[in-house]
Amino acid sequence: MEPKGWPAAAKLRALGGAVAPGALGALGALGALWALGALGALACSGPAGGTGGGGRVAGARIGTPAAGADGEWAMPAKDYAGSRYSTLAEITPANVRRLVVAWSFSTGVLRGHEGGPLVIGSSMYLVTPFPNVAYAIDLAQPGAPLRWKYRPENSQAAIGEACCDVVNRGAAYADGMLVYNLLDGETVAVDAATGVERWRTRVADPNRGETMTMAPLIVHGNVLVGPSGGEMGVRGWMSALDLATGRERWRAYNLGPDSEVRIGAGYHPFYAAERGRDLGVTSWPAGAWMHGGGAVWGWLTYDPALNLVYYGTSNPGPWDGELRPGDNKFTSSILARDPDTGELRWAFQVTPHDLWDYDAVNENILADLPIGGSQRKVLVHFDRNGFEYTIDRRTGEVLVAAAYVPVNWASGIDLATGRPKVNPDKATGIGRTVHGICPSLEGGKNQQPAAFSPATGLFYVPTNNLCMDFTGRHPTYIPGTPYIGADAPETGGPGGYRGEFMAWDATTGRKVWGIREPFPVWSGALVTAGNVAFYGTLDGWLKAVDARTGAPLWENKVSSGIVGNPITYRGPDGHQYVAVYAGIGGDMGALIAGDVAAGPPYDVRERGATLPDLARHTSLGGTLFVFKLGDSRP
């Protein structure tokens, strides 16, 4: 089905569909459209497997019980496991082509609309980018009118401290309250029935470069939150607030002495490199850990049986690695903590001594998968560094690791140590430019979360295919200002496409199928029991594909590029709906997408250089779109 209104539609469609191996020659010619140059000849460690066909992993299960009723979307990622899987099955590959817009709602905000709404009972809850207005919508009434609107005080000064647009990745719900973070460093709780503020707590300090963009997770009455600001020289932490009062129960830092990282007798990491006293200090030069990054701006998951919450930490600061010799614990790491005490149980540093801005904040999806002849409790993590990790979530042992996008900064992962086999030719340094590092600092995947279907056993992954040239330089640390130390212009990666939506088998580390896109796929994924997977594109298309085969099934052009995460719910009328934010922004939209929006003056890429053609296809604008099945007549 041909998209309407795209320039050079035939060429773009050639990149948008599933690509058979025999078609790669044609794509090589199209790659010239994005000035790939020598990148096309790079020797890259790419994802194994082909791009066509279907697959199924027998015996796969979501790792935690479902949250709420099957027709609700009561948590940012649907459940504690982060699956983004719905048991609703009214929409199927046979009828999804009948989806039409049921209604829409303008948020009144022009910046990046990441995250997604929640649906509890007959109410839908939205949170906008700055100024972080919350809306409650009555789904039971014709026209979906507002129940209430809550507009908090929110300091304008925080806009200047936000690294990568003024996004908000959503709210959490518990005990009749909607809880979310404000950009200026406060967490608020709002009565879900009335919109009246219950409490408000300052947890982050914008004067130190801390802002708040992540979606909280609520466990045992603990509201778990963390800051953004890895590029501003913050010292990352996680905090637990009392759901009833907003009072801080505990705070655990991600770097520093063991007493402040909350490492005690219960800490048992799998790998030797994570063992030792005060690694959050000794793996840094003297004092550097105090402004060493390791922020928490991504997604959290939780295993009730193990009573562990999992999250990733951001890059170390500055990007200039010569100022911070050592592993730089625990930046670019996955951490497992006790949500009641904050005690660290295990840690795994995905990219030790990160030289490329490969944050590890991407989601850790909890699943039970058959690996090596036995069922394993795992977390599946698609890292910014381009490798997918299947990790035993009890211990932190890496069971499977494979590149899911073109990678050349490392040749693979040593499973005996968990450490990457770094290519010395791609190690960055001061006063020299390293060309063609893949993936770029945007990562093989950035904030856009993957989904997991227990019906197929596959993971559905929105990805980027970008590379970068990296020039190191010495920065100066000044609190509340950028602490970066690099210039890193980007180009399209090898193969003539800049994004791909794929299905991935985490038991073997192989791609099952992939759909190549002309732009990075910056939206989250959704998959349903009806065997339909949904994702959005930067140029403003919501798409549905067959979850088993990847066959394109349906698409609809919306008002702006999609960087949010589609959800699905059962409405009061008993029918299934799909909802998604349109509203380009975030790092990809606000900083580097041509004249879509102006980026901050300290960005490390020339504005518009990465996606100079995107502005021809979309513009700013925040709108919620809701779809339903229309008339069955032809």
Side-chain angles (χ1 to χ4, degrees), residues 496-516:
Y497 62 99
R498 289 173 291 182
E500 184 174 20
F501 184 71
M502 66 177 65
W504 185 266
D505 181 350
T507 68
T508 61
R510 295 182 65 85
K511 180 170 67 176
V512 176
W513 52 256
I515 301 171
R516 291 177 173 179

Side-chain angles (χ1 to χ4, degrees), residues 384-403:
R384 283 262 288 266
N385 70 16
F387 290 96
E388 179 270 321
Y389 296 79
T390 305
I391 298 174
D392 187 311
R393 65 179 185 267
R394 299 168 302 176
T395 65
E397 177 189 8
V398 178
L399 306 175
V400 179

